[in-house]
């Protein structure tokens, strides 16, 4: 087959034959149907309807309307050549009030059954995330959601049980939480995501950025562990699936690599961002010493039972990552609301080298050099096979694009370059012996990027959000990735 793309011949067949690839999404970002067929409210429904919280004033009421258009979406994914699809379940669509004794919404179950069946009928393997940030609002109102570990945990366990019971005969790849760190930092430290709590009273009425993020993170780790324990004991023997958690983490590089204090600061930043969750799960079994030293009692402690349950609970390392930053040490004590390890974050290093070229998203720059280091850091520290569950970019200039016809394709060289470099690093890491089992691009279609609304277009499919049926148009990168994985995956 002739191709418009050329690929590195040294990477041909670098990925194993059973490597899974596709796209990742999250229910609130794509589904729409926010109050249809018995769905209860999530904290993101309420947050989106609060004036001033979302950049473009939008809500996720309709999003991409994937709830209605899932069949066409699955057909498009098949055309894009994916082997797998990662999506999340909306807790409040399945249990509208969220609690352990609250009723199940059969219409919600039916929707996900239809989606799962459609995927399987098209030869696409589902990877299902139980929680992608959309806590049922009723639980937030009842007892403060994840701030209350004792009340929250049984509710999350029961929700997970319903999912395993109803979908586990066909779903074999489970993810408990998506990016617990971003949920807690953006929602409870910065207060810019739902549920919108922080110490900053110009932004949020309630909250305490110096304690709540660590409390919520603890609840996530512990409730995750109970759910894994239940899955392994009650479901895995017959359903034969696997369960993991997905952590976020960008690469932290020293600002001045000749300054030992910056080298230390960069490692501390990695620990505050990644090892915060990963050490208890895959490493020492406890929070990193650098965090305990800075945070003292503000960092919760695990009971012996919690420690035992958390360590080893996640069978694989679910990894989301996008970019890199330079870290410089700060002299003097850390601010009470610091959660980065007392560092100054830079876009350039001391020599003036940029971390990467800009995307359409301020924090996100193309930096495959850091991604390559991160893969090795995670593998070296945790020795756990990695599933890459998210990676991708926005690109400038996609807002004003005007399709010339229904089959028009948006040219997105910036995204193609990003994927070429990042996925190439995955292939090289595999050649070195690092075990990487999947790659999910973020994301399938442009969607609702949380507090950035519809302003960040991460998709390999362009969506006309003005149109009634949220019309989709392929971007060139979708076809690029299809051919690229065709080149990289070994065909035994
Ligand atoms: C991480 C999150 O899981 C996802 O929801 C978000 O849209 C992307 N990163 C891009 O910011």
């Amino acid at each position: 087959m002739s191709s418009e793309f050329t690929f590195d011949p040294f990477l041909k067949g670098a990925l194993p034959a059973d490597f899974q690839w596709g796209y990742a999404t999250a229910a609130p970002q794509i589904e729409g149907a926010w109050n249809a067929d018995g769905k209860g409210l999530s904290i993101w429904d309420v947050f989106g309807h609060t004036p001033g919280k979302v950049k473009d004033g939008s809500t996720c009421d309709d999003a991409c309307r994937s709830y209605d258009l899932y069949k066409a979406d699955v057909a498009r994914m098949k055309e894009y050549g994916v082997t797998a699809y990662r999506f999340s379940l909306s807790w409040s669509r399945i249990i509208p009030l969220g609690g352990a004794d609250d009723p199940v919404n059969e219409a919600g179950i039916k929707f996900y059954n239809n989606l799962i069946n459609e995927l399987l009928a098209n030869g696409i393997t589902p990877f299902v995330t139980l929680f992608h940030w959309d806590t049922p609002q009723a639980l937030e109102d009842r007892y403060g959601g994840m701030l209350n570990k004792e009340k929250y945990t049984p509710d999350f366990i029961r929700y997970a049980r319903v999912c395993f019971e109803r979908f586990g005969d066909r779903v074999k790849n489970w993810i408990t939480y998506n990016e617990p760190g971003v949920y807690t930092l953006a929602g409870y430290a910065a207060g810019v995501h739902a549920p919108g709590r922080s110490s900053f009273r110009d932004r949020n009425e309630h909250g305490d950025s110096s304690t709540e993020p660590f409390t919520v993170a603890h609840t996530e780790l512990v409730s995750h562990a109970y759910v894994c324990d239940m899955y392994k004991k009650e479901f895995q023997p017959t359903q034969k699936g696997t369960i993991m958690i997905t952590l976020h983490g960008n690469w932290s590089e020293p600002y001045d690599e000749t300054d030992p204090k910056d080298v230390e600061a960069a490692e501390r930043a990695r620990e505050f961002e990644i090892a915060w969750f990963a050490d208890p799960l895959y490493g020492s079994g406890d929070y990193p010493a650098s965090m305990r030293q800075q945070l003292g009692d503000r960092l919760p402690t695990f009971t012996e039972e919690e420690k035992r349950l958390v360590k080893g609970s996640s069978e694989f390392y679910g990894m989301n990552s996008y970019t890199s930053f330079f870290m410089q040490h700060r002299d003097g004590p850390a601010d009470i609301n610091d959660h980065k390890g007392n560092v100054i974050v830079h876009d350039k290093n001391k020599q003036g080298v940029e971390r990467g070229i800009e995307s359409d998203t301020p924090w996100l720059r193309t930096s495959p050099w850091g991604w390559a280091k991160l893969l090795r850091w995670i593998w070296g520290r945790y020795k756990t096979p990695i599933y890459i569950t998210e990676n991708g970019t926005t690109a400038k200039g996609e807002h004003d694009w005007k399709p010339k016809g229904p089959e028009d394709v948006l040219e997105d060289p910036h995204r193609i370059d990003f994927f070429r470099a990042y996925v190439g690093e995955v292939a090289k890491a595999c050649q070195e012996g690092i075990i990487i089992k999947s790659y999910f691009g973020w994301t399938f279609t442009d969607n609702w990027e949380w507090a950035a609304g519809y302003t960040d277009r991460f998709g390999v499919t362009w969506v006309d959000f003005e149109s009634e049926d949220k019309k989709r148009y392929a971007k060139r990168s979708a076809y690029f990735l299809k051919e690229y994985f065709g080149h990289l995956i070994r065909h035994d």
Side-chain angles (χ1 to χ4, degrees):
M1 189 182 75
S2 76
S3 164
E4 60 180 300
F5 307 110
T6 52
F7 302 111
D8 183 345
F10 293 105
L11 298 182
K12 192 171 169 49
L15 301 177
D18 62 351
F19 192 88
Q20 299 272 19
W21 83 274
Y23 297 98
T25 64
Q29 295 182 267
I30 63 162
E31 282 181 2
W34 71 299
N35 60 3
D37 302 335
K39 176 177 169 296
L41 294 183
S42 86
I43 58 173
W44 275 99
D45 294 317
V46 173
F47 195 77
H49 282 263
T50 312
K53 297 292 184 196
V54 177
K55 191 164 153 191
D56 56 4
S58 65
T59 66
C60 58
D61 292 5
D62 299 324
C64 305
R65 292 194 52 203
S66 313
Y67 184 76
D68 307 309
L69 304 172
Y70 73 93
K71 276 198 179 183
D73 279 346
V74 173
R76 180 178 285 277
M77 272 187 249
K78 190 171 185 193
E79 190 211 326
Y80 288 174
V82 309
T83 66
Y85 175 47
R86 171 179 177 234
F87 61 96
S88 83
L89 305 174
S90 157
W91 184 344
S92 64
R93 198 182 286 293
I94 292 174
I95 305 172
L97 296 174
D101 300 319
D102 294 319
V104 170
N105 176 31
E106 288 302 326
I109 300 278
K110 183 160 171 240
F111 168 66
Y112 292 116
N113 271 331
N114 289 343
L115 172 60
I116 292 163
N117 293 341
E118 190 69 14
L119 287 166
L120 292 174
N122 284 279
I124 300 172
T125 303
F127 279 64
V128 177
T129 311
L130 294 173
F131 180 89
H132 201 126
W133 304 354
D134 48 348
T135 310
Q137 182 62 36
L139 303 186
E140 208 61 29
D141 296 341
R142 258 180 220 168
Y143 52 73
M146 290 191 205
L147 285 170
N148 191 330
K149 183 182 74 179
E150 270 62 43
K151 292 224 162 71
Y152 170 87
T153 301
D155 288 348
F156 185 60
I157 293 175
R158 190 291 187 115
Y159 161 56
R161 172 183 292 285
V162 170
C163 297
F164 299 149
E165 281 172 355
R166 307 299 290 271
F167 311 125
D169 56 334
R170 287 149 296 149
V171 173
K172 305 298 171 192
N173 299 276
W174 291 102
I175 297 167
T176 53
Y177 284 98
N178 175 73
E179 298 194 349
V182 173
Y183 179 74
T184 183
L185 292 174
Y188 294 81
V192 295
H193 275 190
R197 297 175 64 89
S198 77
S199 296
F200 310 112
R201 291 291 163 262
D202 52 336
R203 201 179 294 159
N204 306 116
E205 248 176 85
H206 305 284
D208 181 346
S209 307
S210 74
T211 55
E212 290 185 0
F214 307 109
T215 306
V216 166
H218 197 74
T219 300
E220 290 175 298
L221 278 169
V222 170
S223 55
H224 148 88
Y226 277 102
V227 163
C228 291
D229 189 53
M230 169 177 76
Y231 182 74
K232 288 175 193 167
K233 286 186 176 138
E234 296 184 38
F235 297 95
Q236 199 168 49
T238 51
Q239 296 184 350
K240 312 241 181 283
T242 62
I243 191 156
M244 64 180 167
I245 191 168
T246 277
L247 304 181
H248 87 286
N250 293 311
W251 177 249
S252 292
E253 179 77 0
Y255 171 73
D256 177 358
E257 59 192 11
T258 66
D259 182 345
K261 285 191 176 163
D262 283 1
V263 172
E264 223 177 86
E267 180 71 353
R268 200 165 56 243
R270 289 172 213 136
E271 291 185 342
F272 268 70
E273 189 178 5
I274 301 171
W276 176 13
F277 294 90
D279 274 12
L281 289 160
Y282 309 102
S284 65
D286 204 348
Y287 293 120
S290 56
M291 293 187 77
R292 179 66 64 199
Q293 198 185 343
Q294 181 179 314
L295 302 167
D297 291 347
R298 288 187 283 125
L299 191 64
T301 42
F302 292 105
T303 64
E304 281 312 309
E305 161 161 313
E306 287 175 352
K307 250 190 207 169
R308 193 175 44 75
L309 279 174
V310 169
K311 173 124 191 204
S313 53
S314 180
E315 297 180 272
F316 301 99
Y317 191 106
M319 173 188 176
N320 287 2
S321 184
Y322 288 81
T323 197
S324 307
F325 295 94
F326 293 109
M327 300 294 174
Q328 186 180 19
H329 72 279
R330 274 186 80 256
D331 291 316
D335 185 88
I336 183 81
N337 294 320
D338 174 67
H339 53 262
K340 285 190 182 332
N342 205 18
V343 293
I344 306 166
V345 182
H346 294 277
D347 284 334
K348 290 181 190 167
N349 71 5
K350 197 167 174 219
Q351 283 76 43
V353 178
E354 299 261 2
R355 63 193 177 94
I357 55 168
E358 290 177 10
S359 65
D360 202 27
T361 303
W363 56 266
L364 206 180
R365 301 213 189 169
T366 304
S367 48
W369 58 272
W371 161 262
K373 291 186 183 193
L374 181 61
L375 287 169
R376 286 160 185 81
W377 186 84
I378 289 174
W379 177 251
R381 188 162 172 135
Y382 303 116
K383 312 251 176 338
T384 303
I386 298 168
Y387 277 86
I388 294 164
T389 41
E390 272 184 40
N391 177 239
T393 189
T394 55
K396 289 184 182 177
E398 295 193 347
H399 290 285
D400 309 322
W401 188 64
K402 296 261 180 306
K404 291 188 206 67
E407 301 305 323
D408 204 3
V409 174
L410 186 155
E411 300 300 333
D412 58 344
H414 175 84
R415 187 173 289 99
I416 290 176
D417 290 349
F418 181 100
F419 282 142
R420 185 190 287 281
Y422 279 66
V423 176
E425 291 300 340
V426 173
K428 287 182 210 161
C430 284
Q431 284 175 328
E432 253 177 52
I434 299 180
I435 302 176
I436 303 176
K437 301 179 79 68
S438 74
Y439 180 93
F440 289 92
W442 185 271
T443 178
F444 175 52
T445 66
D446 294 338
N447 64 34
W448 197 64
E449 176 63 11
W450 310 108
Y454 296 103
T455 65
D456 277 9
R457 291 179 175 269
F458 273 92
V460 296
T461 310
W462 193 87
V463 175
D464 180 359
F465 289 108
E466 303 296 313
S467 66
E468 181 58 28
D469 55 350
K470 310 290 172 197
K471 184 117 186 56
R472 281 100 156 113
Y473 301 82
K475 300 184 192 178
R476 187 66 63 200
S477 55
Y479 299 116
F480 169 79
L481 272 191
K482 178 180 183 176
E483 286 193 35
Y484 200 17
F485 279 105
H487 175 77
L488 297 175
I489 297 176
R490 204 169 50 234
H491 301 285
D492 287 344

